[in-house]
Amino acid sequence: MVYHLLYPLHTTISVFNVFRYITFRTIYASLTAFLICVLLGPWVIRKLTALQIGQYVRDDGPRSHLQKAGTPTMGGALILFAVVVSTVLWTILTNAYVWIALFVTVGYGFIGFIDDYLMQIKKRSKGLTVRKKLLMQFAFAIVTGLLVFVRPDFDTHVTIPFFKKISPDLGWGYVLFAALVIVGTSNAVNLTDGLDGLAIGPAIIVAATYMVFAYVAGHVKIADYLQINYVAGSGEIAVFCGAIAGAGFGFLWFNTYPAQVFMGDIGSLSLGGALGTVAVITKQEILLLVVGGLFVVEALSVIFQVGFFKMTNGRRIFRMAPLHHHFELKGWAEPKVIVRFWIISIILALISMSTLKLR
Ligand code: 57M
């Protein structure tokens, strides 16, 4: 919005020329989202506490979590608000990819809100059934896949990291592929959100990494030089990623150990849906397995644990899944698990950035 209001005045006020630059608007989208979260955070926490939207903690988890019962949750609503406001303020609003990204983020936030509402307010500890949640997630994801698919000259080839020459064209199958990326990422982030700051940290790292990917993918000369897909208009998604990273840091200000607030499904599902959609738009879908490798490992730990449990009539691979609980039960202090997982996330992000040069 700022671009539309102020850039046209650059002929008289030359400094307003700066609003045309994606880098400038990305920085200020990030700072705006950060400030919204940090300034509104205390009020949101007080409001959630007054509304008694306190975390219900199951008794079958690590005993150290029992003390967390009652921690205000659904703080993800603040992340969502900050991302939407900052994106609308700092992007070029005629860009279709911006609205596609906002559609998923708000849509998945709605799904998460229903789940949280049923669990935390209606006290139905299971919330939405897995089946209903997946159906709603796939509905939004398939619509998103279609919206991306119909974009003029959107490329339905799938980029394989490190192997430039191999990029299968999925055609219409790309819609289902994109939906799987979005739903998978959303649920992986949701599973990871089980320790203070454990999900928001890597989400910030992934958003910051895809900020770079979006910028280069939307820059015809740089994309050509790096021999990556040029996606006209995807540069604006860098601004959206900046808003996510800024909101993430603002939320982490309160979610860091010991957490004053949890994001709830409204936060984890929407963040995961947003990051999955960004990976699709920037044509770096498979690379998300590397950048978001922590989310992948956490989800795989659950899949392997449940599968092994069923195959062996009750034996477990890990002391408890997802993986963060395994280390907690091994005696690692919660902050130690969290920061070590962040470190791994940063290393994975650096490796994924190197693929821009390596082909
Ligand atoms: C999402 N939710 C946290 C908080 C957060 C199939 C099975 C693997 C499902 C999985 C599950 O229930 N996942 C739900 C994880 C929960 O956090 C809330 O949920 C929101 C995210 N969706 O925003 O509102 C708990 O996590 C802790 N937490 C923090 N700090 C944070 O900043 O400490 C969250 C955010 C909160 C709080 O204690 O209550 C969660 O863990 O449920 N189930 C599990 O993950 C369970 N694992 C399990 O059952 N493992 C089994 C089988 C099924 C694999 C096994 O290993 O044999 C664990 N979670 C719980 N109890 N609650 C362990 C048992």
Side-chain angles (χ1 to χ4, degrees), residues 55-58 60-62 65 68 73 120 190-191 193-197 255 259 261-265 268 302 305-306 309 316 319-322 324-325 334:
Q55 182 66 49
Y56 163 75
V57 177
R58 288 161 34 188
D60 58 349
H65 283 239
K68 296 168 180 271
T73 187
Q120 310 299 348
N190 183 43
L191 285 171
D193 192 28
L195 296 182
D196 298 353
N255 182 237
V261 64
F262 297 154
M263 67 171 75
D265 285 26
S268 59
V302 171
Q305 179 89 327
V306 172
F309 187 87
R316 286 179 162 84
R319 296 182 185 206
M320 185 179 287
H324 55 263
H325 288 317
E334 183 171 347

Side-chain angles (χ1 to χ4, degrees), residues 55-62 64-66 68-69 71-76 115-116 119-120 125-126 130 133 187 189-200 251 255-257 259 261-269 298-299 301-307 309 315-316 318-322 324-325 328-329 334 338:
Q55 182 66 49
Y56 163 75
V57 177
R58 288 161 34 188
D59 55 12
D60 58 349
S64 58
H65 283 239
L66 295 176
K68 296 168 180 271
T71 304
T73 187
M74 293 180 71
D115 202 21
D116 286 332
M119 264 192 293
Q120 310 299 348
S125 71
K126 291 288 183 198
V130 172
K133 195 190 284 190
N187 288 303
V189 174
N190 183 43
L191 285 171
T192 305
D193 192 28
L195 296 182
D196 298 353
L198 187 66
I200 199 66
F251 181 74
N255 182 237
T256 185
Y257 181 86
V261 64
F262 297 154
M263 67 171 75
D265 285 26
I266 186 173
S268 59
L269 293 184
E298 287 266 75
S301 71
V302 171
I303 293 166
F304 289 141
Q305 179 89 327
V306 172
F309 187 87
R315 288 179 57 205
R316 286 179 162 84
F318 308 102
R319 296 182 185 206
M320 185 179 287
H324 55 263
H325 288 317
E328 273 194 298
L329 297 185
E334 183 171 347
I338 296 160

Side-chain angles (χ1 to χ4, degrees), residues 6-289:
L6 300 183
Y7 178 63
L9 305 177
H10 76 282
T11 46
T12 46
I13 310 170
S14 60
V15 72
F16 284 175
N17 186 53
V18 75
F19 292 114
R20 67 190 284 232
Y21 295 109
I22 287 174
T23 44
F24 179 85
R25 288 187 283 113
T26 296
I27 290 167
Y28 279 88
S30 191
L31 293 175
T32 304
F34 173 75
L35 282 174
I36 289 173
C37 283
V38 168
L39 294 176
L40 286 182
W43 176 81
V44 167
I45 292 169
R46 282 198 304 274
K47 203 73 185 162
L48 291 171
T49 307
L51 292 169
Q52 295 183 334
I53 303 177
Q55 182 66 49
Y56 163 75
V57 177
R58 288 161 34 188
D59 55 12
D60 58 349
R63 301 202 57 72
S64 58
H65 283 239
L66 295 176
Q67 66 195 343
K68 296 168 180 271
T71 304
T73 187
M74 293 180 71
L78 178 59
I79 300 172
L80 211 47
F81 175 74
V83 168
V84 171
V85 168
S86 188
T87 300
V88 169
L89 263 181
W90 291 102
T91 56
I92 294 177
L93 297 174
T94 52
N95 182 294
Y97 288 125
V98 167
W99 293 107
I100 291 172
L102 288 176
F103 166 72
V104 179
T105 307
V106 174
Y108 273 57
F110 174 69
I111 298 170
F113 169 76
I114 294 175
D115 202 21
D116 286 332
Y117 177 79
L118 292 174
M119 264 192 293
Q120 310 299 348
I121 297 169
K122 303 298 277 184
K123 304 299 179 201
R124 282 172 45 185
S125 71
K126 291 288 183 198
L128 275 173
T129 60
V130 172
R131 180 183 165 77
K132 278 183 189 162
K133 195 190 284 190
L134 279 176
L135 274 174
M136 292 171 81
Q137 286 178 310
F138 267 105
F140 274 104
I142 285 170
V143 169
T144 304
L146 285 168
L147 289 172
V148 168
F149 181 79
V150 299
R151 295 300 310 144
D153 14 280
F154 187 79
D155 185 348
T156 54
H157 287 79
V158 175
T159 319
I160 312 285
F162 303 106
F163 300 97
K164 269 189 185 176
K165 302 290 179 230
I166 309 170
S167 61
D169 184 358
L170 301 184
W172 273 98
Y174 189 86
V175 174
L176 182 60
F177 171 71
L180 286 170
V181 169
I182 295 167
V183 173
T185 311
S186 178
N187 288 303
V189 174
N190 183 43
L191 285 171
T192 305
D193 192 28
L195 296 182
D196 298 353
L198 187 66
I200 199 66
I204 292 168
I205 295 159
V206 173
T209 306
Y210 273 89
M211 189 194 304
V212 174
F213 290 158
Y215 182 80
V216 298
H219 196 295
V220 64
K221 288 201 181 90
I222 301 177
D224 180 50
Y225 167 71
L226 294 172
Q227 294 179 51
I228 58 171
N229 286 73
Y230 168 61
V231 183
S234 64
E236 285 303 308
I237 290 298
V239 184
F240 174 69
C241 289
I244 293 176
F249 278 120
F251 181 74
L252 183 58
W253 190 272
F254 305 100
N255 182 237
T256 185
Y257 181 86
Q260 296 165 262
V261 64
F262 297 154
M263 67 171 75
D265 285 26
I266 186 173
S268 59
L269 293 184
S270 61
L271 276 174
L275 295 175
T277 302
V278 164
V280 164
I281 292 171
T282 56
K283 298 297 302 160
Q284 296 289 353
E285 314 91 346
I286 306 289
L287 199 56
L288 185 57
L289 294 174

Side-chain angles (χ1 to χ4, degrees), residues 340-356:
R340 285 180 172 176
F341 275 33
W342 288 352
I343 292 168
I344 291 165
S345 248
I346 291 167
I347 290 167
L348 289 171
L350 292 174
I351 292 169
S352 67
M353 301 275 269
S354 72
T355 66
L356 287 177

